[in-house]
Amino acid sequence: MTSRGAGTAFSRRNYRLSTESEKPKLTGIVNSKLLNDYLHRIFPSADGIQPATAYRKPLTFQNLQEHLDKLLAEDSGAEDSRDQVLEGRLGPSTVVLDHTSGFEGLLLVDDDLLGVIGHSNFGSIRATTCVYKGKWIYEVLISSQGLMQIGWCTLNCRFNQEEGVGDTPDSYAYDGNRVRKWNVTTTNYGKSWAAGDIVSCLIDLDEGTIAFCLNGVSLGTAFDNITRGAGMAYFPAISLSFKESVAFNFGSRPLRYPVEGYRPLQDPPSVDLVKAHKLLGYLKNVIHIGIDVLEGKLVEKDTSTWQLQGEPTVLITLTHIFNHFAPLMCKVYLVDDVLMHFLLSILERGGAVEAHPLIQQLLDLMWLLMEDYEVHECLKQLLMSLLRAYRFSPIIPDLGLQIHYLRLTIAVLKHEKSRKYLLNNVLFDVLRSVVFFYIKSPLRVEEAGLQELIPTTWWPNRFTKEGKENKEVKEESAEERLRRRAYDRGCQRLKKRIEVVEELQVQILKLLLNNKDRGGGEASRYIFLNKFRRFLQENASNRGNLTVLCPPEYMVCFLHRLISTLRCYWDGHKAKAPAALSSEEAYVPPQLFYNGKVDYFDLQRLGGLLSHLKKTLKDDLALKANILIDPAELQAVTMDDLDEDEESATSTAQRPVAALAIGGALARPSWLSSPTLGRANRFLSTAAVSLMNPRRPLGTLEKMKARTLSVEQRTEDDIEGSHGNEGLLLGRPPEEPEQSITENSLLEILDGIVMMYNLSVHQQLGKMVGVSDDVNEYALALKDTEEKISRCPKRRRDIYEELVKSQKVFSEKLNHLSRRLAWINVTIYSKEKMQDIYWLLRVCIRTIEHGDRTGSLFAFMPEFYLSVAMNSYSALKNYFSPVHSMEELPGYEETLTRLAAILAKHFADSRIVGTDIRDSLMQALASYVCYPHSLRAVERIPEEQRISMMRNLLAPYEQRPWAQTNWILVRLWRGCGFGYRYTRLPHLLKTKPEDANLPSLQKPCPSTLLQQHMADLLRSDCDMAPSFLNSVLNQLNWAFSEFVGMIQEIQQAAERLERNFVDSRQLKVCATCFDLSVSLLRVLEMTVTLAPEIFLDWSRPSSELLLRRLAQLLNQVLNRVTAERNLFDRVVNLRLPGLESVDHYPILVAVTGILVRLLMDTDFQGAKRATAVLLADPCFQLRSIQYLLGHAEPSALAAMPPSADKRHFSLHTYTDYISLEELAKVERMLNHLSEESKQAAASTLPTSEEDLCPICYAHPISAIFRPCSHKSCKACINQHLMNNKDCFFCKATITGVDDFIKPVSS
C-alpha cells in the first residue's frame, strides 16, 4: 500500500547533508579518523568484511550519501528480475476486492477494499486478481462467526441471493459456521470457527487441490481434481449473510500463518523490505555504538538508556538514515513487519514500560527527522497494526501476546506529541480503539490453554429435576469439595492473569485522560472528551444500524476500564483538594442537564423534548438558574425538524449519481468490519441496473443526517471554567450545595459512563448469563442420565451403552462450559465488576436525588438516568448471583431503601411525561415488592412517602397503566388472602417451571404495614374509596367479559371438523384477561378485608351501590365458571398451550374469599346486609356455592351417564393450600345461604309487573327522581348516576333521589 502522501509533491527538509570541500577535516569535535571509524561501524558492507584501514576509502559526511546509496542498491537488482518472471497470476499487483463488477447483493466495503460486511441475505464478492498456475495463499480474518462460505471461484460463476461461493460448479468454499465444505454438494469438513480466527485458503494448481487452515492448523485437503486448463483461473471469493463481516489479507500485510511453498497473491515489497531491514540495522548500530570524544575511540553503549544528547555527529548520521527510512515507514507492510517488531523487541527484556525510554527517544527522532505527513501515516499504520495484532492474536494461558501488544501501545502513547496526534486524528476517527479495552472470550477452551490453567472442572448441583432451586442441599461429599476447591484455585489463577491485561488497559486510559500535558496545545483529556462524546453520539443515534454501533461486548470492557480510570483520577483530585467529594460520593450535578454545556443529542428527557422544555420552563430557568433562553434559539429549535428534512433532501439531490451508487463516505465508521479497523465507505448494491444508474436511493444509511456536535470546538476553559466562568457547572440551582465536587471534565466522563451502560452494557450483561443457564441445564441432564444408568437393568446392555454415551457427551460439554464460565465470571461477573455496577447504581441514585430537589428543572434530566438506576439494580440482583451476592456489598440496605424511595415517588411523578419510562418505573416497583428484602426496603422509606405511594396506587384506574398498579397491590396482599399462599398454581406443579427468578414465582411476602396505609386511606377519604372501587369493578367487568368472549371463539374453533390452529397470540391475550380478572378479584378481597365498612356501612353515600355491583359481578363469575359441562369446563379440559394458568382454582378461591369476608367475618348487621343484597341479585344461584364444596346438582347427576368418571371440583381437595379453618367457614357460609334463601323464598310476596323496576325488571321500585318523579330501583338509578345526570325517561336533569314507598291503599 502506498503512503497517504503518495502522488503529492512534498519538499523534504534540507539538513545540509554534505559539507563544503574547503572546510577543515574536523567535524565539530570529532576528528576525521574517528568519524571514519564510526561511519564504517555504523554502515558496514553487505558481506560484513571490513577492508583494511590502509586500503579502504575514508568515509566522511561528504561521501556518506553515495556510500549509503550503494549499500542499499546491492540486492535490489536481483529482486526486481525475480519479480518480473513470476507466472501464474493475472490482475493488478495490488490485490483488493472487486468493487466495480465482481459482487452480488448488498455489501459494505472498507476504504482499503479489504474488509467487507454483508448487508443482504447472501451477498458475494471476489478479488481483482486470479491465479491459473502455481501454489497460492490468502488469509481471511473472521470478525463474526455467522454464516459465510469462503474460498475460490472462476469468472464464469454466477451468484445470487440464495447461491454463493461453493454452490455453483467451479467454485469451492469452506463454511466454519456449519463445519462443511461446498462444491454444489456439501460434506462435513474442518472445525467450527469463531470471531477472531484466521482462515488460510490454499490452492495448488499444479496438483489440482484446495485446502484450508484455521489459525495455522491444517484442516486437510478439501477438494482435489479441481478443473484446470485453458480459460480456468481462480479468484479469491466469499459469500456472507446479513451483518457478517471479514477482512482479507492477500499479502498487503505479512501473513500471520505463512505456509511453505505457497505465495501470497500480492507480492511483498521485497526491495523495500530489504532496504528497511538494512536501515533498521544501521539505526541499531547508532544506538549501540557511541563516541568517546575525550578518549578518541568508539564505545559500546547500553541501548536501553540511549539518548540523543545533542551530538552533531550522531544527529547528522541519523539524518542520513532517516532520509531513506522515513518514506518506507509510510507503507503498511513495512510498518507491520519491520517497525512494529523492532519496537516490540525493545520491550521483550521485561520490566515496566517506563524502564524502556528508548521508544520515547525513537519517537522524538521520528518527529524531528521525518516530514509531518510521514510521521502521521507511520503512527496511524503502527496503531492499526497493533490493534489488529491485539484483536486477532490467539489466546494463550498467560495472555502473553495480548500483554506484549498492550505494552507497546502504552509506550507509544506515553509520547506526548504522538498521543495528541493519535487522539486528534486516529484513535476515534480511523481506528476502533475501544478494541484495546476488550478481552475476548475463547469459544474453544482447548486452544486457549484453559485445560492446563483449570485442570479440574466443577459445576453446582443446586437444582432439582423440575428445575427448582433445591433448598435442602445435601452436604457435599469430600470428592465434590476437593473438585470445587481445585476449580476455584484454577479460577483464581486465571483471574490474576486477566487482571494484568486489565491493568495495562487502565494505563492506556490514564494516558488518554491526562490533563497535565499542556505542552504544545490542549491537554489530552479535553481532546478525549470531545472524541468520547462523538463516540456516544454515534452509538445513541444509530440504534438500528448495527454496522455503526460499537459491539456490546466491547462496551462492557470499556465501561469497567473507564470506571477504574475515572475513580483513580477522581480520588487523586480529592487528595489534592480535600474539600472536594470522594468517588464514593460521586454524582452528576443537575445543571449539566439544562445549561447546554453537554450535548445529549436527541435523547429523551424526563419532561419530553428539550425544545418543549425550553419553552415551558424558560421562566424557571431564569429564576432558579439565572439562565436566559434566547427567543431566536427557541424559534430555531422549533424549525429544526423542517430544516433537517430539507437538508436531507438537498444533500441527496446534490450528490452525483456515481457517488450514490458506489457509496461515497458514510458519516460514521463501521464496527462490524473491525479487522480492517477502517471506515466502511463504499456501499455496493446489485439492485441497480448498473453501478452508474441506480434505480432507487440507497435508503437510511445514505439519507441519515450527521449532526454536527457543538462540543467539537470546546476548550479547557469551556469545560473546567476560569476567571468567574463556572464551565460545565454554569447555572447552579439554589438547592444545589456550593461544595466543589471534582474536576468538571470528570463529571462529563461520569455522565458518559452512565449513558454507555444504558446504550448496550446492560443488554450484554443479561446475554452472557446464558452460559450459566446452559451449565445448569447440562448438569440436570447429566444427573438424570446417571440416575437412569443406576436403574438400568443389566440385561438391557443396548440401553446401558446409549446412556453411557450420553453421559460422556454431557460430561465433555460440562467440562467445556465450566471452563468457559470461569472465563466469563472473571471478565464480566467478578466481584470487582459487580462493585463497579453497584457504584454506578449509587451514582445514579445520588444524581436523581439531587435533580429531584430542583423542582420543575428535574424535567431536564435525561431518561437514561432512571433507566440505569433500575437496570443496574436488576443486573446486580439477577446476573451476578449465585457467584456473588448483592448482600455482600457495603451499604446494601441503605441503597435499596433510597432506590425504593425513588421508585415510590416517581412512578406517578407529573414531571415525567414519557410513557415508556413511566411504565418502566411501574414495572420496577412491581418487581421490587415481590422480593422480601426489597419489600422491606419499601417499608423503610419515610411514612409520608409510603402514604403518598399508596395514594397514587389507589387513584382511579382509568387512563393509566392499571394492570401494573393492580399487580403491585396483589403482591402486597398475596399470602393473606383465602387460599392465597401458593407460589405456583396447584395444577401446574407437575409441569416444567419457568425461571425461578421471575417475580411471579417468588414466595408470598405480604406487607401488613402498606396494607394498613391502604385501609387508612380508604376509610378516611370518602371520595377516594368509591372512585377506586368503581374503577376496579369496571375493569373486572371488562376483563372477565373479554375472557368469556375469547373462550367462546376458542371453543368454536376447537369444535370444527377441519384441522385448525388457534392463534397463539389470541391464547396469550385470553390467559392475560383471566389473570387480570383473578388479580382484580384479589384486590377486591383485600379491600373487603381491610375496610369492610366501605361496602357494609350504608351511612356512606356509595356503599350500597358498591355492594350491589360487587354482588352482581361475583354472581356472574360464579355462574360462568361453575355451571355443569359449561364453556369454561370444556376449554380448561382442552389444556391448550398458552392457557396453562386458566383453571377453576385461582378464580373460585378468589371469589370465595370475598364472600367469606362479607358473610362470615363481619358483624351481624354487615352480614345481614351482604346476604340480602346477594340473594336479591337475580343472577344468584345457590348451586354455584354448593359447587365450591363438590356438591353437584341432583338433576345434573341424573343426566350424567353412569360410566362417566368425572371428578368434580371441590375445595376439600386442596388441603395443602386451604386451611381447615377456611374450609369450615365455607361450610358455614353454604349453610347460612341455604337457610336465608329458603326464608327469602317463603317470605317474598308475589310482585305485580307494574311494581317492578322498568329498567331491570329484577327488583321492586324503590326510588323516585326529583323533579320529574319517574321511578326505578335504587341499584339502577345509582349505577346510572355514576356516569350520567339525565333521567332515563324524560332526559331532565335529576337533582335528587328519594326513597319510594308504595302507598298501602294501592
Side-chain angles (χ1 to χ4, degrees):
M1 180 183 282
T2 58
S3 71
R4 189 171 57 179
T8 307
F10 289 94
S11 60
R12 295 201 55 79
R13 295 176 182 170
N14 182 9
Y15 293 105
R16 299 184 62 83
L17 300 183
S18 60
T19 55
E20 299 176 11
S21 57
E22 63 270 14
K23 293 254 180 167
K25 294 268 181 146
L26 286 173
T27 307
I29 56 172
V30 178
N31 60 52
S32 57
K33 179 180 180 305
L34 189 56
L35 176 63
N36 177 57
D37 292 342
Y38 176 72
L39 293 178
H40 273 290
R41 286 283 298 276
I42 299 299
F43 304 102
S45 59
D47 54 12
I49 302 173
Q50 297 288 354
T53 306
Y55 297 99
R56 71 184 181 194
K57 182 178 179 182
L59 263 181
T60 64
F61 289 134
Q62 293 173 320
N63 56 13
L64 177 58
Q65 189 67 45
E66 178 187 348
H67 178 71
L68 190 52
D69 289 341
K70 183 179 178 183
L71 289 176
L72 294 175
E74 284 177 354
D75 298 321
S76 60
E79 292 286 346
D80 289 340
S81 62
R82 193 174 68 184
D83 287 346
Q84 291 169 2
V85 297
L86 184 65
E87 292 184 7
R89 180 179 63 193
L90 293 172
S93 58
T94 300
V95 186
V96 293
L97 296 173
D98 188 349
H99 68 287
T100 57
S101 58
F103 64 91
E104 170 64 38
L106 298 175
L107 300 159
L108 282 168
V109 180
D110 282 2
D111 62 349
D112 60 3
L113 299 179
L114 294 174
V116 62
I117 309 169
H119 214 66
S120 60
N121 185 40
F122 205 49
S124 304
I125 192 168
R126 63 171 184 261
T128 54
T129 298
C130 60
V131 291
Y132 61 90
K133 179 181 178 182
K135 299 180 178 181
W136 304 90
I137 181 175
Y138 70 92
E139 290 181 342
V140 182
L141 285 67
I142 305 295
S143 184
S144 61
Q145 60 201 53
L147 180 60
M148 294 180 278
Q149 293 173 200
I150 302 171
W152 305 84
C153 75
T154 64
L155 192 63
N156 295 325
C157 294
R158 292 289 176 264
F159 304 128
N160 54 43
Q161 293 290 300
E162 302 297 329
E163 294 183 338
V165 181
D167 297 324
T168 62
D170 300 328
S171 70
Y172 306 87
Y174 160 50
D175 173 4
N177 177 261
R178 292 173 288 189
V179 196
R180 305 184 76 80
K181 60 181 180 180
W182 298 80
N183 174 233
V184 183
T185 59
T186 178
T187 54
N188 293 332
Y189 173 79
K191 295 192 297 185
S192 64
W193 59 38
D197 286 345
I198 294 180
V199 176
S200 304
C201 304
L202 297 82
I203 187 167
D204 183 348
L205 289 160
D206 299 331
E207 299 293 331
T209 62
I210 290 175
F212 299 91
C213 300
L214 188 64
N215 295 325
V217 178
S218 175
L219 302 177
T221 300
F223 306 99
D224 51 19
N225 296 323
I226 64 172
T227 309
R228 291 171 289 166
M232 297 302 296
Y234 288 91
F235 292 84
I238 185 174
S239 298
L240 66 174
S241 56
F242 182 64
K243 293 192 303 184
E244 306 304 333
S245 58
V246 298
F248 286 84
N249 181 10
F250 299 113
S252 60
R253 293 177 179 273
L255 294 180
R256 180 64 58 87
Y257 301 106
V259 177
E260 188 176 357
Y262 287 80
R263 294 183 61 112
L265 266 76
Q266 180 173 324
D267 289 324
S270 304
V271 175
D272 288 342
L273 201 55
V274 171
K275 286 182 181 179
H277 278 295
K278 282 184 178 181
L279 291 162
L280 182 61
Y282 304 151
L283 179 59
K284 290 178 182 177
N285 290 340
V286 172
I287 295 168
H288 188 65
I289 300 167
I291 304 173
D292 188 337
V293 180
L294 298 176
E295 296 289 333
K297 63 178 183 180
L298 304 179
V299 293
E300 301 286 332
K301 297 185 71 174
D302 180 5
T303 56
S304 63
T305 59
W306 181 83
Q307 286 188 332
L308 180 63
Q309 297 174 335
E311 300 174 16
T313 305
V314 176
L315 183 58
I316 295 173
T317 305
L318 286 169
T319 304
H320 278 86
I321 295 172
F322 271 89
N323 193 45
H324 295 273
F325 194 53
L328 299 177
M329 287 303 100
C330 296
K331 300 184 178 180
V332 178
Y333 195 102
L334 301 178
V335 170
D336 200 318
D337 193 55
V338 179
L339 181 62
M340 188 173 80
H341 285 87
F342 169 55
L343 296 176
L344 286 170
S345 67
I346 296 174
L347 294 174
E348 279 177 354
R349 300 168 190 143
V353 176
E354 292 81 1
H356 302 286
L358 179 57
I359 294 177
Q360 306 298 306
Q361 295 292 318
L362 291 172
L363 289 168
D364 281 336
L365 278 179
M366 290 168 65
W367 283 100
L368 177 66
L369 300 176
M370 293 170 67
E371 297 287 350
D372 284 347
Y373 76 90
E374 292 171 335
V375 184
H376 295 167
E377 185 68 17
C378 179
L379 286 173
K380 184 184 88 170
Q381 296 300 343
L382 176 60
L383 261 289
M384 193 176 286
S385 296
L386 279 171
L387 196 54
R388 183 189 299 259
Y390 174 77
R391 166 86 196 279
F392 291 98
S393 292
I395 294 179
I396 55 178
D398 64 352
L399 297 169
L401 295 173
Q402 283 76 13
I403 291 171
H404 209 34
Y405 297 123
L406 287 175
R407 279 164 54 83
L408 180 52
T409 306
I410 291 170
V412 172
L413 292 175
K414 273 185 173 295
H415 190 263
E416 181 179 330
K417 192 171 182 180
S418 302
R419 175 172 69 248
K420 289 183 179 178
Y421 166 72
L422 290 169
L423 255 177
N424 261 317
N425 303 283
V426 177
L427 287 179
F428 284 90
D429 299 87
V430 177
L431 297 186
R432 311 290 163 257
S433 53
V434 176
V435 176
F436 276 128
F437 311 109
Y438 175 54
I439 302 178
K440 65 180 178 182
S441 173
L443 294 182
R444 289 186 297 274
V445 296
E446 300 83 4
E447 295 176 16
L450 290 184
Q451 284 177 325
E452 294 77 21
L453 206 58
I454 309 176
T456 307
T457 58
W458 172 84
W459 48 87
N461 291 312
R462 299 180 297 105
F463 295 89
T464 63
K465 276 200 288 186
E466 288 80 23
K468 293 184 292 186
E469 192 159 350
N470 192 0
K471 297 299 182 185
E472 300 176 3
V473 183
K474 294 184 295 184
E475 190 173 339
E476 61 181 354
S477 64
E479 181 187 354
E480 285 178 339
R481 190 181 305 112
L482 287 172
R483 281 183 58 203
R484 178 173 56 78
R485 289 176 179 173
Y487 179 73
D488 288 343
R489 287 195 297 272
C491 293
Q492 286 302 315
R493 287 193 292 270
L494 175 63
K495 183 178 179 182
K496 287 179 181 176
R497 297 183 181 189
I498 286 179
E499 281 175 348
V500 174
V501 177
E502 291 177 347
E503 178 54 35
L504 290 172
Q505 293 171 330
V506 170
Q507 284 185 39
I508 292 176
L509 273 174
K510 284 181 179 177
L511 290 170
L512 300 183
L513 290 181
N514 184 354
N515 66 334
K516 306 300 180 189
D517 55 346
R518 296 186 177 87
E522 205 170 6
S524 300
R525 180 184 297 177
Y526 305 105
I527 306 171
F528 174 85
L529 263 182
N530 293 336
K531 299 296 180 181
F532 180 51
R533 210 72 197 174
R534 181 64 178 257
F535 167 79
L536 292 174
Q537 183 193 15
E538 289 170 351
N539 284 274
S541 306
N542 293 276
R543 301 301 290 272
N545 184 4
L546 294 174
T547 63
V548 174
L549 297 182
C550 173
E553 58 269 25
Y554 294 9
M555 280 281 211
V556 173
C557 295
F558 188 30
L559 176 105
H560 287 297
R561 307 305 170 267
L562 204 50
I563 288 176
S564 300
T565 311
L566 174 75
R567 295 193 66 178
C568 177
Y569 272 112
W570 194 300
D571 291 331
H573 178 75
K574 164 73 175 172
K576 296 174 186 174
L581 297 178
S582 70
S583 63
E584 281 297 333
E585 306 165 291
Y587 71 95
V588 179
Q591 53 264 48
L592 260 70
F593 308 136
Y594 56 72
N595 64 16
K597 295 288 186 178
V598 177
D599 193 341
Y600 288 99
F601 331 126
D602 297 320
L603 295 178
Q604 189 79 359
R605 310 299 183 101
L606 293 177
L609 293 174
L610 181 62
S611 55
H612 167 73
L613 292 174
K614 282 183 176 180
K615 287 181 194 172
T616 56
L617 298 177
K618 61 182 179 182
D619 294 337
D620 291 339
L621 280 173
L623 180 65
K624 290 188 173 185
N626 200 25
I627 292 178
L628 299 177
I629 303 296
D630 185 359
E633 182 186 348
L634 285 178
Q635 186 176 358
V637 169
T638 307
M639 300 299 292
D640 185 56
D641 293 337
L642 289 174
D643 292 344
E644 184 169 331
D645 293 341
E646 289 170 8
E647 285 178 31
S648 178
T650 307
S651 61
T652 306
Q654 288 175 349
R655 291 184 60 186
V657 175
L660 273 174
I662 298 179
L666 290 179
R668 294 178 174 85
S670 163
W671 272 94
L672 291 178
S673 61
S674 54
T676 63
L677 307 162
R679 291 179 179 275
N681 72 342
R682 297 172 193 268
F683 189 86
L684 308 183
S685 168
T686 51
V689 177
S690 74
L691 281 172
M692 304 310 290
N693 297 292
R695 284 187 295 200
R696 60 175 181 265
L698 287 175
T700 56
L701 269 179
E702 288 299 326
K703 291 182 177 179
M704 197 176 297
K705 181 190 174 192
R707 182 181 171 197
T708 305
L709 273 176
S710 59
V711 296
E712 285 289 353
Q713 290 78 33
R714 294 183 308 168
T715 63
E716 179 179 347
D717 287 346
D718 295 329
I719 295 170
E720 301 290 2
S722 64
H723 308 298
N725 170 22
E726 294 180 277
L728 294 184
L729 298 183
L730 174 72
R732 181 179 60 83
E735 298 84 2
E736 187 67 12
E738 294 187 26
Q739 179 189 9
S740 168
I741 303 173
T742 187
E743 296 169 284
N744 292 356
S745 51
L746 298 181
L747 292 173
E748 184 174 335
I749 294 171
L750 176 58
D751 175 77
I753 289 173
V754 178
M755 192 189 298
M756 275 174 62
Y757 186 90
N758 183 63
L759 290 176
S760 59
V761 171
H762 181 73
Q763 163 199 351
Q764 182 67 11
L765 289 178
K767 181 180 175 184
M768 297 309 292
V769 174
V771 178
S772 177
D773 295 339
D774 291 344
V775 169
N776 291 331
E777 285 186 18
Y778 277 102
L780 283 172
L782 179 62
K783 185 179 178 182
D784 187 46
T785 306
E786 289 171 345
E787 288 177 2
K788 288 178 181 175
I789 289 174
S790 66
R791 298 196 307 266
C792 182
K794 292 183 179 178
R795 66 180 183 276
R796 296 306 305 267
R797 191 73 188 170
D798 54 338
I799 296 177
Y800 178 81
E801 288 176 357
E802 287 299 320
L803 287 172
V804 170
K805 283 182 185 176
S806 300
Q807 182 189 29
K808 184 180 178 183
V809 169
F810 291 145
S811 296
E812 288 176 354
K813 190 70 177 176
L814 274 169
N815 287 332
H816 169 89
L817 284 174
S818 65
R819 291 188 175 104
R820 184 157 179 246
L821 185 61
W823 184 283
I824 291 171
N825 283 340
V826 169
T827 54
I828 298 178
Y829 300 118
S830 68
K831 188 174 182 179
E832 292 75 16
K833 309 297 184 296
M834 186 180 192
Q835 288 169 344
D836 283 348
I837 304 300
Y838 182 59
W839 178 79
L840 202 57
L841 167 62
R842 290 164 67 94
V843 165
C844 289
I845 288 174
R846 281 189 290 269
T847 302
I848 294 165
E849 289 172 345
H850 280 264
D852 181 35
R853 293 177 200 142
T854 62
S856 60
L857 298 184
F858 179 60
F860 281 95
M861 179 179 286
E863 284 184 353
F864 65 77
Y865 273 88
L866 279 170
S867 298
V868 171
M870 295 181 283
N871 289 336
S872 56
Y873 167 71
S874 172
L876 291 167
K877 181 166 62 72
N878 298 320
Y879 301 157
F880 287 85
S881 62
V883 181
H884 301 289
S885 170
M886 190 178 173
E887 296 174 11
E888 304 167 2
L889 296 166
Y892 156 75
E893 289 196 352
E894 183 213 352
T895 302
L896 277 189
T897 306
R898 292 169 71 179
L899 181 57
I902 287 172
L903 296 176
K905 179 171 184 178
H906 297 301
F907 83 92
D909 192 339
S910 59
R911 295 171 295 180
I912 301 174
V913 300
T915 53
D916 289 343
I917 192 67
R918 289 174 73 94
D919 285 351
S920 297
L921 285 163
M922 186 77 77
Q923 290 169 17
L925 183 60
S927 173
Y928 222 70
V929 298
C930 290
Y931 301 88
H933 55 280
S934 50
L935 178 59
R936 301 300 164 245
V938 175
E939 294 177 343
R940 287 195 300 269
I941 67 178
E943 182 177 0
E944 184 184 345
Q945 292 185 18
R946 292 197 305 269
I947 294 173
S948 175
M949 176 187 79
M950 294 308 298
R951 180 176 285 108
N952 287 324
L953 288 173
L954 295 177
Y957 279 10
E958 282 79 7
Q959 298 179 351
R960 70 193 192 94
W962 58 271
Q964 286 290 350
T965 305
N966 198 73
W967 171 248
I968 295 170
L969 294 174
V970 167
R971 286 302 308 191
L972 299 178
W973 177 243
R974 190 171 180 176
C976 297
F978 182 93
Y980 200 36
R981 292 172 289 278
Y982 55 81
T983 301
R984 299 185 72 214
L985 289 167
H987 68 285
L988 294 179
L989 285 180
K990 294 181 181 178
T991 62
K992 186 177 178 183
E994 310 90 84
D995 182 1
N997 289 325
L998 287 175
S1000 58
L1001 294 181
Q1002 301 309 305
K1003 287 188 175 180
C1005 52
S1007 171
T1008 53
L1009 177 63
L1010 296 177
Q1011 288 176 18
Q1012 189 58 48
H1013 289 324
M1014 175 177 171
D1016 293 342
L1017 285 168
L1018 290 174
R1019 288 194 192 102
S1020 61
D1021 193 330
C1022 294
D1023 295 329
M1024 175 184 288
S1027 63
F1028 166 68
L1029 286 169
N1030 275 316
S1031 66
V1032 172
L1033 291 168
N1034 288 340
Q1035 300 300 345
L1036 174 60
N1037 186 32
W1038 171 83
F1040 192 73
S1041 301
E1042 286 291 311
F1043 168 71
V1044 170
M1046 286 184 181
I1047 61 174
Q1048 286 175 344
E1049 294 177 15
I1050 292 168
Q1051 175 65 20
Q1052 290 168 5
E1055 288 177 348
R1056 294 192 192 108
L1057 294 176
E1058 67 272 15
R1059 183 175 176 81
N1060 58 81
F1061 298 93
V1062 182
D1063 183 12
S1064 60
R1065 188 170 153 213
Q1066 185 182 7
L1067 293 174
K1068 188 175 180 181
V1069 173
C1070 180
T1072 302
C1073 286
F1074 179 79
D1075 293 339
L1076 285 173
S1077 301
V1078 173
S1079 66
L1080 288 161
L1081 285 167
R1082 286 297 184 182
V1083 169
L1084 288 169
E1085 180 193 20
M1086 179 183 182
T1087 310
V1088 168
T1089 306
L1090 296 175
E1093 59 269 28
I1094 296 173
F1095 293 95
L1096 302 177
D1097 180 5
W1098 285 7
S1099 63
R1100 299 170 71 102
S1102 55
S1103 292
E1104 184 182 355
L1105 170 63
L1106 289 172
L1107 185 59
R1108 291 188 185 281
R1109 288 198 68 195
L1110 178 62
Q1112 182 185 22
L1113 281 170
L1114 293 180
N1115 282 324
Q1116 287 178 4
V1117 172
L1118 280 172
N1119 293 343
R1120 288 284 189 179
V1121 176
T1122 61
E1124 289 292 337
R1125 298 187 301 280
N1126 69 353
L1127 182 63
F1128 186 86
D1129 266 343
R1130 291 199 294 271
V1131 171
V1132 167
N1133 292 331
L1134 286 174
R1135 295 296 174 199
L1136 295 173
L1139 291 183
E1140 292 88 356
S1141 64
V1142 178
D1143 193 68
H1144 293 82
Y1145 179 84
I1147 196 162
L1148 287 181
V1149 291
V1151 173
T1152 305
I1154 299 173
L1155 292 174
V1156 167
R1157 302 296 181 205
L1158 287 172
L1159 301 174
M1160 296 289 104
D1161 293 345
T1162 56
D1163 57 23
F1164 174 77
Q1165 184 66 30
K1168 183 179 178 182
R1169 286 173 178 167
T1171 304
V1173 169
L1174 191 66
L1175 295 178
D1177 187 83
C1179 297
F1180 174 76
Q1181 297 181 26
L1182 187 62
R1183 66 158 188 80
S1184 297
I1185 310 298
Q1186 294 169 340
Y1187 183 94
L1188 300 174
L1189 295 172
H1191 301 167
E1193 292 179 276
S1195 58
L1197 288 173
M1200 286 175 61
S1203 60
D1205 184 20
K1206 178 175 173 59
R1207 294 182 60 190
H1208 286 280
F1209 174 86
S1210 173
L1211 295 178
H1212 288 294
T1213 60
Y1214 295 95
T1215 51
D1216 291 342
Y1217 300 90
I1218 304 174
S1219 67
L1220 294 176
E1221 183 186 353
E1222 288 173 329
L1223 285 171
K1225 287 182 181 179
V1226 180
E1227 294 278 6
R1228 292 206 314 273
M1229 180 181 75
L1230 176 58
N1231 294 332
H1232 169 71
L1233 288 174
S1234 299
E1235 289 298 323
E1236 291 294 326
S1237 61
K1238 288 177 184 176
Q1239 292 179 15
S1243 63
T1244 302
L1245 295 173
T1247 305
S1248 64
E1249 186 174 332
E1250 63 185 25
D1251 292 334
L1252 288 175
C1253 169
I1255 305 301
C1256 65
Y1257 285 95
H1259 305 291
I1261 294 173
S1262 57
I1264 184 168
F1265 316 155
R1266 290 199 309 264
C1268 61
S1269 299
H1270 286 110
K1271 306 177 189 69
S1272 76
C1273 66
K1274 281 188 178 179
C1276 287
I1277 187 58
N1278 287 340
Q1279 190 160 353
H1280 175 69
L1281 290 176
M1282 286 172 55
N1283 303 308
N1284 199 328
K1285 299 298 181 185
D1286 295 340
C1287 173
F1288 286 116
F1289 309 102
C1290 64
K1291 302 303 179 187
T1293 302
I1294 298 173
T1295 59
V1297 177
D1298 298 325
D1299 291 340
F1300 173 77
I1301 300 174
K1302 183 177 179 182
V1304 177
S1305 60
S1306 63

